[in-house]
Amino acid sequence: MRLAENRLRATAHAAVAVALGAAALTALPSTATAAADGLSVQYRTSSAGSDQAEPWFKVKNTGTASVPLSGVKVRYYFKADSAGASYRFACSWAVKGCANVTGTFGTLANPTATADRYLEVGFTSGAGSLAPGADTGDLQLRFYQSNWASLNQSDDYSFGASQTSYADWSKVTAHLSGATLWGQAPGGNGPTDPPTDPPTDPPADAPTLFDDFNYSGHTDPRISANGWNVRSNSGGPGVPGATWAPEKVTFATTGGNSIMNLETSTAGTAASTKQTEILTKAMKFKNGTYAARVRFSDAPKYGPDGDRLVQTFFTINDLKAPMADDYAEYDFEYLPNGGWGEPANILYTTSWETYQADPWVAVNQHTEARQSYSGWHDLVLTIDNSTIKYYVDGQLFGTHDAAYLPERPMSINFNQWLIDLAGQTSTTARAYDQQVDYVLHVKDQVLTPAQVTTRLNAYRSAGTTFQDTVPGS
């Protein structure tokens, strides 16, 4: 990314300014089902005020086996206060730690007089498990309109004005791995049978960029002819004084398939640090599908480990002024050794509306997973007129709100860089690799991960290594 280090560090910490996302569930049953597992939810409201809702919960394991909280979702149903209203989630305090609590918003398939939206509360793996009979303790949560307009909670399905102390509350639902174990959803919002026919593939003639990165080296003239820039100019992000080194972007054939390699190296000083980036010269990509197959690395290919590294696939345009509302950026960022206050590996997906560098103000939404993602991964980002969705290896990773949709076209970027030199202070040389198999953008079409794979296979079956029919912005 092309932003200052403090901006990126704030991504991980601005809990109040940031709306946390979480992977959305597929259609869920509206009534509790008989199961060996069991959950119950206690609710209280901390505020009947007009500017924000404060639903507080305790989730209890009423079953006979331990329950991983990462598989638990709680839904609170409400009526939007205006057409197209955008909401933000925040965790004020939680026994399990607010960093381990996520919140995202969804729209009901069958709106009722008291509900057309829902807040879905989830947990990261860091929240651990609930033993039989145990509960989460307080989850002191709140949400509000992004413009801080007044809320009318009296017509919200899940709201209880008199519920000022914890008690069982059946107007919220609790789900474990897709099964409803507690509560009653608003009428008409039960499950639907999955379709028996595969989804229809959209037309294949949409404007498309596809590149298999089949080049001889960073000086191959086809790279520039095909619209790419291998970065050499100085500047952020990363270690001040580091070099962006085109010669560290190399290409090789593995198993008959061409692979691009971005190497970042250091010997513990700014002068010895070489970072890598490749990006499209044109900012002409907006709505549609973005996909890439990327290999993240947890360990260096040589030398001591521990550097605070960022490995990325993202889209971005330029910030014309502080807090400019036509800025846009959508990121996959993997930190194999942590950083920005995180102690270990973490994958972020982040959707940016805008920011201001000084004093720091961030307006974004992100989803994260604290685990290793070393190895090859299929990354898919889709943007339409209502949502931004991130997929990892075919699974929905995060859904972000309409407030973060792009207003202007963007470039497509891959880079690998060091946040700082504090993670590993050794002066022994070391180097890290990030590899890219291909990149695909289909303009104005939202493809499923399976449809992305179909497109990729068609290109490779035809022997196509590059295509760009996306018109200039």
Side-chain angles (χ1 to χ4, degrees), residues 349-390:
T349 60
T350 308
S351 301
W352 284 85
E353 169 60 16
T354 191
Y355 74 98
Q356 173 179 286
D358 188 19
W360 178 248
V361 179
V363 183
N364 64 26
Q365 185 174 7
H366 69 86
T367 305
E368 66 280 336
R370 293 170 176 84
Q371 65 181 67
S372 172
Y373 280 87
S374 182
W376 283 104
H377 295 284
D378 295 308
L379 309 178
V380 176
L381 159 70
T382 65
I383 303 173
D384 59 19
N385 291 322
S386 60
T387 56
I388 304 112
K389 293 186 177 181
Y390 297 85

Short mmCIF file of all heavy atoms in Angstrom, two decimals, residues 349-390:
data_model
loop_
_atom_site.label_atom_id
_atom_site.label_comp_id
_atom_site.label_asym_id
_atom_site.label_seq_id
_atom_site.Cartn_x
_atom_site.Cartn_y
_atom_site.Cartn_z
N THR A 349 -8.53 -8.21 5.84
CA THR A 349 -9.15 -7.63 4.65
C THR A 349 -9.74 -6.30 5.11
O THR A 349 -10.42 -6.24 6.13
CB THR A 349 -10.24 -8.53 4.06
OG1 THR A 349 -11.27 -8.76 5.02
CG2 THR A 349 -9.66 -9.86 3.59
N THR A 350 -9.47 -5.23 4.36
CA THR A 350 -9.86 -3.89 4.79
C THR A 350 -10.45 -3.12 3.63
O THR A 350 -9.88 -3.10 2.53
CB THR A 350 -8.66 -3.12 5.36
OG1 THR A 350 -8.00 -3.91 6.35
CG2 THR A 350 -9.10 -1.80 5.98
N SER A 351 -11.59 -2.47 3.86
CA SER A 351 -12.24 -1.60 2.88
C SER A 351 -12.17 -0.17 3.41
O SER A 351 -12.66 0.11 4.51
CB SER A 351 -13.69 -2.01 2.67
OG SER A 351 -13.79 -3.35 2.23
N TRP A 352 -11.60 0.72 2.61
CA TRP A 352 -11.36 2.09 3.05
C TRP A 352 -12.34 3.06 2.38
O TRP A 352 -12.55 3.02 1.17
CB TRP A 352 -9.93 2.52 2.69
CG TRP A 352 -8.91 1.94 3.61
CD1 TRP A 352 -8.31 0.72 3.52
CD2 TRP A 352 -8.38 2.56 4.78
NE1 TRP A 352 -7.45 0.54 4.57
CE2 TRP A 352 -7.47 1.65 5.35
CE3 TRP A 352 -8.59 3.79 5.39
CZ2 TRP A 352 -6.77 1.95 6.52
CZ3 TRP A 352 -7.89 4.09 6.55
CH2 TRP A 352 -6.99 3.17 7.09
N GLU A 353 -12.90 3.95 3.19
CA GLU A 353 -13.68 5.07 2.67
C GLU A 353 -12.77 6.30 2.52
O GLU A 353 -12.71 6.91 1.47
CB GLU A 353 -14.86 5.39 3.59
CG GLU A 353 -15.58 6.69 3.28
CD GLU A 353 -16.17 6.75 1.88
OE1 GLU A 353 -16.31 5.70 1.23
OE2 GLU A 353 -16.49 7.87 1.43
N THR A 354 -12.03 6.64 3.59
CA THR A 354 -11.11 7.76 3.51
C THR A 354 -10.24 7.78 4.76
O THR A 354 -10.41 6.96 5.67
CB THR A 354 -11.84 9.10 3.35
OG1 THR A 354 -10.92 10.14 3.03
CG2 THR A 354 -12.62 9.47 4.60
N TYR A 355 -9.31 8.72 4.81
CA TYR A 355 -8.48 8.88 6.00
C TYR A 355 -7.84 10.26 5.98
O TYR A 355 -7.85 10.99 4.98
CB TYR A 355 -7.39 7.81 6.07
CG TYR A 355 -6.24 8.01 5.09
CD1 TYR A 355 -5.04 8.60 5.48
CD2 TYR A 355 -6.37 7.62 3.76
CE1 TYR A 355 -4.01 8.78 4.58
CE2 TYR A 355 -5.34 7.80 2.86
CZ TYR A 355 -4.16 8.39 3.26
OH TYR A 355 -3.14 8.58 2.38
N GLN A 356 -7.27 10.62 7.11
CA GLN A 356 -6.49 11.85 7.28
C GLN A 356 -5.24 11.47 8.04
O GLN A 356 -5.32 10.78 9.06
CB GLN A 356 -7.31 12.88 8.05
CG GLN A 356 -6.56 14.15 8.42
CD GLN A 356 -7.47 15.11 9.16
OE1 GLN A 356 -8.32 15.74 8.57
NE2 GLN A 356 -7.30 15.19 10.48
N ALA A 357 -4.09 11.89 7.55
CA ALA A 357 -2.82 11.46 8.14
C ALA A 357 -2.49 12.21 9.43
O ALA A 357 -1.95 11.61 10.36
CB ALA A 357 -1.69 11.64 7.13
N ASP A 358 -2.79 13.50 9.50
CA ASP A 358 -2.34 14.29 10.65
C ASP A 358 -3.34 15.41 10.94
O ASP A 358 -3.48 16.34 10.13
CB ASP A 358 -0.96 14.89 10.37
CG ASP A 358 -0.35 15.55 11.61
OD1 ASP A 358 -0.82 15.24 12.73
OD2 ASP A 358 0.58 16.36 11.44
N PRO A 359 -4.06 15.34 12.07
CA PRO A 359 -4.08 14.23 13.04
C PRO A 359 -4.78 13.02 12.42
O PRO A 359 -5.62 13.15 11.54
CB PRO A 359 -4.88 14.79 14.21
CG PRO A 359 -5.78 15.82 13.58
CD PRO A 359 -4.98 16.43 12.48
N TRP A 360 -4.42 11.84 12.93
CA TRP A 360 -4.87 10.61 12.31
C TRP A 360 -6.37 10.40 12.49
O TRP A 360 -6.90 10.42 13.60
CB TRP A 360 -4.11 9.42 12.89
CG TRP A 360 -4.59 8.13 12.32
CD1 TRP A 360 -5.27 7.15 12.96
CD2 TRP A 360 -4.45 7.70 10.97
NE1 TRP A 360 -5.57 6.13 12.10
CE2 TRP A 360 -5.07 6.45 10.86
CE3 TRP A 360 -3.87 8.26 9.83
CZ2 TRP A 360 -5.13 5.74 9.67
CZ3 TRP A 360 -3.92 7.55 8.65
CH2 TRP A 360 -4.54 6.31 8.57
N VAL A 361 -7.08 10.20 11.36
CA VAL A 361 -8.50 9.84 11.36
C VAL A 361 -8.66 8.75 10.30
O VAL A 361 -8.20 8.92 9.16
CB VAL A 361 -9.42 11.03 11.03
CG1 VAL A 361 -10.88 10.58 11.02
CG2 VAL A 361 -9.21 12.16 12.03
N ALA A 362 -9.28 7.64 10.65
CA ALA A 362 -9.47 6.53 9.71
C ALA A 362 -10.95 6.18 9.60
O ALA A 362 -11.64 6.09 10.61
CB ALA A 362 -8.70 5.30 10.19
N VAL A 363 -11.40 6.01 8.37
CA VAL A 363 -12.77 5.55 8.12
C VAL A 363 -12.67 4.30 7.26
O VAL A 363 -12.43 4.37 6.06
CB VAL A 363 -13.62 6.63 7.43
CG1 VAL A 363 -15.06 6.13 7.25
CG2 VAL A 363 -13.60 7.92 8.22
N ASN A 364 -12.79 3.14 7.89
CA ASN A 364 -12.66 1.88 7.16
C ASN A 364 -13.44 0.78 7.88
O ASN A 364 -14.00 0.99 8.93
CB ASN A 364 -11.19 1.50 6.98
CG ASN A 364 -10.47 1.23 8.29
OD1 ASN A 364 -11.07 0.85 9.29
ND2 ASN A 364 -9.16 1.44 8.31
N GLN A 365 -13.46 -0.37 7.27
CA GLN A 365 -14.08 -1.56 7.86
C GLN A 365 -13.17 -2.73 7.56
O GLN A 365 -12.66 -2.84 6.43
CB GLN A 365 -15.47 -1.79 7.26
CG GLN A 365 -16.26 -2.93 7.89
CD GLN A 365 -17.69 -3.00 7.35
OE1 GLN A 365 -18.05 -2.29 6.42
NE2 GLN A 365 -18.51 -3.85 7.93
N HIS A 366 -12.93 -3.59 8.55
CA HIS A 366 -12.02 -4.69 8.27
C HIS A 366 -12.46 -5.98 8.95
O HIS A 366 -13.23 -5.99 9.91
CB HIS A 366 -10.57 -4.34 8.64
CG HIS A 366 -10.30 -4.21 10.11
ND1 HIS A 366 -9.99 -5.27 10.91
CD2 HIS A 366 -10.30 -3.12 10.92
CE1 HIS A 366 -9.78 -4.85 12.16
NE2 HIS A 366 -9.98 -3.55 12.19
N THR A 367 -11.96 -7.07 8.43
CA THR A 367 -12.15 -8.41 8.97
C THR A 367 -10.77 -9.02 9.12
O THR A 367 -9.90 -8.76 8.28
CB THR A 367 -13.00 -9.27 8.02
OG1 THR A 367 -14.23 -8.59 7.75
CG2 THR A 367 -13.30 -10.63 8.62
N GLU A 368 -10.55 -9.80 10.15
CA GLU A 368 -9.23 -10.39 10.34
C GLU A 368 -9.34 -11.81 10.87
O GLU A 368 -10.34 -12.18 11.48
CB GLU A 368 -8.36 -9.55 11.27
CG GLU A 368 -8.83 -9.47 12.71
CD GLU A 368 -9.94 -8.46 12.90
OE1 GLU A 368 -10.07 -7.52 12.10
OE2 GLU A 368 -10.71 -8.64 13.86
N ALA A 369 -8.30 -12.58 10.62
CA ALA A 369 -8.20 -13.94 11.16
C ALA A 369 -6.78 -14.14 11.66
O ALA A 369 -5.81 -13.92 10.92
CB ALA A 369 -8.54 -14.99 10.11
N ARG A 370 -6.67 -14.54 12.92
CA ARG A 370 -5.36 -14.71 13.55
C ARG A 370 -4.93 -16.17 13.45
O ARG A 370 -5.21 -16.96 14.34
CB ARG A 370 -5.43 -14.23 15.00
CG ARG A 370 -5.64 -12.73 15.12
CD ARG A 370 -5.95 -12.29 16.54
NE ARG A 370 -6.05 -10.83 16.63
CZ ARG A 370 -7.15 -10.14 16.35
NH1 ARG A 370 -8.24 -10.79 15.96
NH2 ARG A 370 -7.16 -8.82 16.43
N GLN A 371 -4.27 -16.49 12.37
CA GLN A 371 -3.76 -17.84 12.14
C GLN A 371 -2.77 -17.79 10.99
O GLN A 371 -2.64 -16.77 10.32
CB GLN A 371 -4.89 -18.80 11.78
CG GLN A 371 -5.58 -18.47 10.46
CD GLN A 371 -6.72 -19.41 10.15
OE1 GLN A 371 -7.74 -19.42 10.83
NE2 GLN A 371 -6.56 -20.21 9.10
N SER A 372 -2.06 -18.88 10.77
CA SER A 372 -1.12 -18.94 9.66
C SER A 372 -1.85 -19.12 8.34
O SER A 372 -2.78 -19.92 8.23
CB SER A 372 -0.15 -20.11 9.86
OG SER A 372 0.65 -20.28 8.70
N TYR A 373 -1.41 -18.37 7.35
CA TYR A 373 -1.88 -18.54 5.98
C TYR A 373 -0.70 -18.83 5.05
O TYR A 373 -0.74 -18.50 3.87
CB TYR A 373 -2.65 -17.30 5.50
CG TYR A 373 -4.07 -17.27 6.01
CD1 TYR A 373 -4.37 -16.71 7.25
CD2 TYR A 373 -5.10 -17.83 5.27
CE1 TYR A 373 -5.67 -16.70 7.73
CE2 TYR A 373 -6.41 -17.82 5.75
CZ TYR A 373 -6.68 -17.26 6.97
OH TYR A 373 -7.97 -17.26 7.44
N SER A 374 0.32 -19.47 5.59
CA SER A 374 1.47 -19.83 4.77
C SER A 374 1.02 -20.79 3.67
O SER A 374 0.27 -21.73 3.91
CB SER A 374 2.54 -20.49 5.63
OG SER A 374 3.68 -20.80 4.86
N GLY A 375 1.49 -20.55 2.44
CA GLY A 375 1.14 -21.41 1.32
C GLY A 375 0.28 -20.69 0.30
O GLY A 375 0.02 -19.49 0.40
N TRP A 376 -0.17 -21.44 -0.71
CA TRP A 376 -0.97 -20.87 -1.79
C TRP A 376 -2.41 -20.66 -1.35
O TRP A 376 -3.01 -21.51 -0.69
CB TRP A 376 -0.95 -21.79 -3.00
CG TRP A 376 0.34 -21.73 -3.78
CD1 TRP A 376 1.35 -22.64 -3.79
CD2 TRP A 376 0.74 -20.68 -4.67
NE1 TRP A 376 2.36 -22.24 -4.62
CE2 TRP A 376 2.01 -21.03 -5.18
CE3 TRP A 376 0.15 -19.49 -5.10
CZ2 TRP A 376 2.70 -20.24 -6.09
CZ3 TRP A 376 0.84 -18.69 -6.00
CH2 TRP A 376 2.10 -19.06 -6.48
N HIS A 377 -2.99 -19.51 -1.75
CA HIS A 377 -4.38 -19.21 -1.43
C HIS A 377 -5.05 -18.50 -2.60
O HIS A 377 -4.45 -17.66 -3.27
CB HIS A 377 -4.47 -18.32 -0.18
CG HIS A 377 -3.96 -19.00 1.05
ND1 HIS A 377 -4.69 -19.95 1.73
CD2 HIS A 377 -2.77 -18.90 1.69
CE1 HIS A 377 -3.98 -20.39 2.75
NE2 HIS A 377 -2.81 -19.77 2.76
N ASP A 378 -6.31 -18.87 -2.83
CA ASP A 378 -7.13 -18.21 -3.84
C ASP A 378 -7.86 -17.05 -3.17
O ASP A 378 -8.67 -17.25 -2.25
CB ASP A 378 -8.14 -19.20 -4.42
CG ASP A 378 -7.46 -20.32 -5.18
OD1 ASP A 378 -6.63 -20.01 -6.06
OD2 ASP A 378 -7.72 -21.50 -4.89
N LEU A 379 -7.58 -15.83 -3.63
CA LEU A 379 -8.14 -14.62 -3.05
C LEU A 379 -9.10 -14.00 -4.05
O LEU A 379 -8.73 -13.76 -5.21
CB LEU A 379 -7.03 -13.62 -2.71
CG LEU A 379 -5.85 -14.16 -1.88
CD1 LEU A 379 -4.82 -13.06 -1.66
CD2 LEU A 379 -6.34 -14.73 -0.55
N VAL A 380 -10.32 -13.74 -3.62
CA VAL A 380 -11.34 -13.14 -4.49
C VAL A 380 -11.99 -11.98 -3.75
O VAL A 380 -12.37 -12.09 -2.59
CB VAL A 380 -12.41 -14.17 -4.89
CG1 VAL A 380 -13.52 -13.50 -5.71
CG2 VAL A 380 -11.80 -15.31 -5.69
N LEU A 381 -12.10 -10.85 -4.45
CA LEU A 381 -12.78 -9.66 -3.95
C LEU A 381 -13.87 -9.30 -4.95
O LEU A 381 -13.61 -9.25 -6.16
CB LEU A 381 -11.77 -8.50 -3.83
CG LEU A 381 -12.31 -7.07 -3.82
CD1 LEU A 381 -13.07 -6.79 -2.52
CD2 LEU A 381 -11.18 -6.06 -4.00
N THR A 382 -15.10 -9.08 -4.47
CA THR A 382 -16.18 -8.65 -5.35
C THR A 382 -16.77 -7.35 -4.85
O THR A 382 -16.93 -7.14 -3.64
CB THR A 382 -17.29 -9.71 -5.47
OG1 THR A 382 -17.94 -9.88 -4.21
CG2 THR A 382 -16.73 -11.05 -5.95
N ILE A 383 -17.08 -6.46 -5.77
CA ILE A 383 -17.67 -5.16 -5.46
C ILE A 383 -18.86 -4.95 -6.39
O ILE A 383 -18.71 -4.99 -7.62
CB ILE A 383 -16.66 -4.02 -5.65
CG1 ILE A 383 -15.40 -4.24 -4.80
CG2 ILE A 383 -17.29 -2.68 -5.31
CD1 ILE A 383 -14.29 -3.23 -5.06
N ASP A 384 -20.05 -4.74 -5.81
CA ASP A 384 -21.20 -4.36 -6.62
C ASP A 384 -21.75 -3.06 -6.06
O ASP A 384 -21.01 -2.30 -5.42
CB ASP A 384 -22.25 -5.48 -6.67
CG ASP A 384 -22.78 -5.87 -5.28
OD1 ASP A 384 -22.64 -5.08 -4.33
OD2 ASP A 384 -23.34 -6.98 -5.17
N ASN A 385 -23.01 -2.77 -6.29
CA ASN A 385 -23.56 -1.49 -5.84
C ASN A 385 -24.06 -1.51 -4.42
O ASN A 385 -24.64 -0.52 -3.96
CB ASN A 385 -24.69 -1.06 -6.79
CG ASN A 385 -24.17 -0.69 -8.16
OD1 ASN A 385 -23.12 -0.07 -8.29
ND2 ASN A 385 -24.91 -1.05 -9.20
N SER A 386 -23.85 -2.61 -3.69
CA SER A 386 -24.36 -2.68 -2.33
C SER A 386 -23.36 -3.21 -1.31
O SER A 386 -23.43 -2.82 -0.14
CB SER A 386 -25.63 -3.54 -2.28
OG SER A 386 -25.35 -4.87 -2.71
N THR A 387 -22.44 -4.08 -1.71
CA THR A 387 -21.53 -4.69 -0.74
C THR A 387 -20.16 -4.95 -1.34
O THR A 387 -19.99 -4.99 -2.56
CB THR A 387 -22.07 -6.04 -0.21
OG1 THR A 387 -22.32 -6.91 -1.32
CG2 THR A 387 -23.32 -5.86 0.60
N ILE A 388 -19.20 -5.14 -0.44
CA ILE A 388 -17.86 -5.61 -0.79
C ILE A 388 -17.67 -6.94 -0.09
O ILE A 388 -17.93 -7.05 1.12
CB ILE A 388 -16.78 -4.61 -0.31
CG1 ILE A 388 -17.04 -3.21 -0.88
CG2 ILE A 388 -15.39 -5.09 -0.68
CD1 ILE A 388 -17.44 -2.20 0.16
N LYS A 389 -17.25 -7.96 -0.83
CA LYS A 389 -17.06 -9.28 -0.23
C LYS A 389 -15.67 -9.79 -0.52
O LYS A 389 -15.15 -9.63 -1.62
CB LYS A 389 -18.11 -10.28 -0.76
CG LYS A 389 -19.52 -9.95 -0.30
CD LYS A 389 -20.52 -11.03 -0.73
CE LYS A 389 -21.92 -10.72 -0.20
NZ LYS A 389 -22.89 -11.77 -0.57
N TYR A 390 -15.07 -10.43 0.49
CA TYR A 390 -13.75 -11.02 0.39
C TYR A 390 -13.87 -12.53 0.60
O TYR A 390 -14.51 -12.97 1.55
CB TYR A 390 -12.82 -10.45 1.45
CG TYR A 390 -12.55 -8.96 1.34
CD1 TYR A 390 -13.41 -8.03 1.91
CD2 TYR A 390 -11.41 -8.48 0.68
CE1 TYR A 390 -13.17 -6.66 1.82
CE2 TYR A 390 -11.16 -7.12 0.58
CZ TYR A 390 -12.04 -6.22 1.16
OH TYR A 390 -11.79 -4.87 1.08
#
